[in-house]
Each structure stands twice: as C-alpha cells, then as structure tokens.
C-alpha cells in the first residue's frame, strides 16, 4: 500500500504543464475480444514513457471501472505529448491505427481523450490523509499553511486568510481573481 501523507499538503510544479485524460469505454461487455486488446495497450505505453526520462511524461494515474477506464497524465508540454503520440517508432501510433481500424468495424469499444494546457500558477491542489496522487506525483509537495492554507491563497489571490473555521462553521471573505489586463 502506498504511504499516506497525513499532513495537509499542496502540490506545485514549475512552469506550464499539460493534463491529458485518455480513456476507453466498453460498450459491449461480453465482447471481451474487442475491448481487451485496447485496454492492454495503455500499460505498455506508460511503461515505455516511464523508461524514458526525457519523454516529457511527469506522472500518471489509472482508473479502471466496469465500462470506463481512464488514464490521467501530466506532461511537461503539449509538444512532448504530441511527439510521443505521432512517433512511428513508439507504441502509441501503431496501437492507435489498429484501434481506429477496429472501431470502424464495430462500436463495441470507444475511446476518447481531453487535453488541458495549464499555465503556471493557474491551478491549486490539496491532499490530506492521501498518498501522492495526480499532480501530487508530478510536482513538489509543500505544507498547506500560511498563504497556501486556502484555495484562493494557493492561487495567489489572497494571503490565505480568506477562510476561517471555528469547529462548527466556515466563514469566508469574497475573493476575485486578479485583473489580468485582457478585458480591463
């Protein structure tokens, strides 16, 4: 079992990064021969990426369900993600070609992905009584104290003093994101 962080911590990462969600959906449960090869492809791709520190993959988490299976990945850049996805010598490109051929033949399995480009400082995290997960695996963990005590504080919008707890209730000050000059 992975060790728990019993301290309340937040994760930070230097610079911009990418969150990539990729998954598959089993549409016909009893057609194992259609979806099992698709689900078996992801672990070998992740092994390939983890064996190459220069790949740009920072961390990943995999969630397996009955119908829905997902890998949430953290990448250094979109360019790194794209380079791997299109590399004919890596495992992804041929697997994707095969998967697309299979999906044109039947709708027994579906695939999807979402890509989010995250700018430095435009995210916040909190972990308490949990092992490193998600960005907590990819970034550096720091105590969630002082300015990191609240979500608005972790975003740099306040000094972390915008919420107070008295044991039975929570009180908070209104906060607004800082003006960026785009629409001012």
């Amino acid at each position: 079992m992975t060790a728990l962080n019993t301290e309340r911590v937040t994760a930070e990462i230097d610079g911009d990064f990418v969150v990539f969600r990729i998954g598959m959906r089993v549409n016909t449960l009893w057609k194992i021969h259609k979806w099992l090869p698709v689900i078996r492809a992801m672990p070998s791709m992740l092994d390939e990426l983890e064996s190459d520190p220069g790949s740009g993959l920072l961390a990943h988490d995999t969630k397996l369900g009955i119908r829905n299976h997902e890998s949430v990945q953290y990448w250094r850049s979109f360019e790194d993600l794209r380079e791997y996805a299109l590399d004919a010598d890596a495992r992804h490109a041929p697997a994707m070609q095969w998967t697309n051929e299979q999906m044109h033949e039947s709708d027994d399995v579906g695939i999807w992905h979402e890509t989010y480009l995250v700018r430095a400082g435009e995210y916040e995290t909190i972990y308490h009584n949990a092992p490193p997960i998600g960005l907590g695996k990819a970034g550096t963990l720091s105590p969630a104290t002082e300015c990191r005590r609240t979500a608005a504080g972790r975003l740099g919008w306040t000094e972390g003093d915008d919420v107070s707890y008295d044991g039975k209730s929570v009180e908070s000050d209104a906060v607004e994101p800082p003006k960026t000059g785009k629409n001012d």
Side-chain angles (χ1 to χ4, degrees):
M1 180 173 161
T2 305
L4 297 179
N5 262 332
T6 56
E7 180 182 10
R8 192 168 178 266
V9 296
T10 185
E12 297 169 340
I13 193 165
D14 290 332
D16 299 348
F17 62 94
V18 173
V19 177
F20 181 65
R21 297 179 62 214
I22 185 166
M24 65 164 275
R25 183 177 193 282
V26 176
N27 295 324
T28 311
L29 287 171
W30 58 89
K31 291 193 179 178
I32 296 170
H33 65 286
K34 294 287 189 175
W35 54 262
L36 188 60
V38 178
I39 198 170
R40 292 183 69 194
M42 184 57 70
S44 63
M45 289 181 223
L46 292 169
D47 288 345
E48 178 179 56
L49 287 161
E50 288 179 323
S51 71
D52 177 9
S55 69
L57 180 70
L58 302 173
H60 65 88
D61 285 312
T62 300
K63 314 279 189 276
L64 301 176
I66 294 173
R67 286 193 182 270
N68 297 295
H69 311 282
E70 175 183 6
S71 174
V72 179
Q73 303 170 9
Y74 299 85
W75 288 79
R76 173 49 47 210
S77 69
F78 178 74
E79 292 77 16
D80 289 336
L81 171 60
R82 185 173 188 274
E83 182 178 322
Y84 177 73
L86 300 176
D87 183 350
D89 295 325
R91 293 179 186 236
H92 179 267
M96 193 67 244
Q97 181 178 353
W98 179 86
T99 301
N100 282 332
E101 290 169 6
Q102 298 305 306
M103 288 190 304
H104 285 295
E105 292 176 13
S106 79
D107 61 0
D108 296 319
V109 64
I111 62 164
W112 57 271
H113 82 251
E114 300 173 349
T115 306
Y116 302 94
L117 309 181
V118 183
R119 290 189 293 242
E122 294 191 358
Y123 63 93
E124 68 86 23
T125 67
I126 194 74
Y127 310 92
H128 195 169
N129 288 341
I133 188 168
L135 199 59
K137 286 181 177 178
T140 302
L141 296 176
S142 303
T145 57
E146 299 176 9
C147 66
R148 294 182 181 114
R149 193 174 72 78
T150 67
R154 291 186 292 278
L155 286 167
W157 298 3
T158 71
E159 294 297 317
D161 55 0
D162 53 287
V163 176
S164 61
Y165 309 93
D166 71 3
K168 292 186 179 182
S169 65
V170 177
E171 293 185 24
S172 64
D173 299 332
V175 296
E176 291 189 32
K179 302 286 184 196
T180 62
K182 293 178 187 172
N183 296 320
D184 296 344

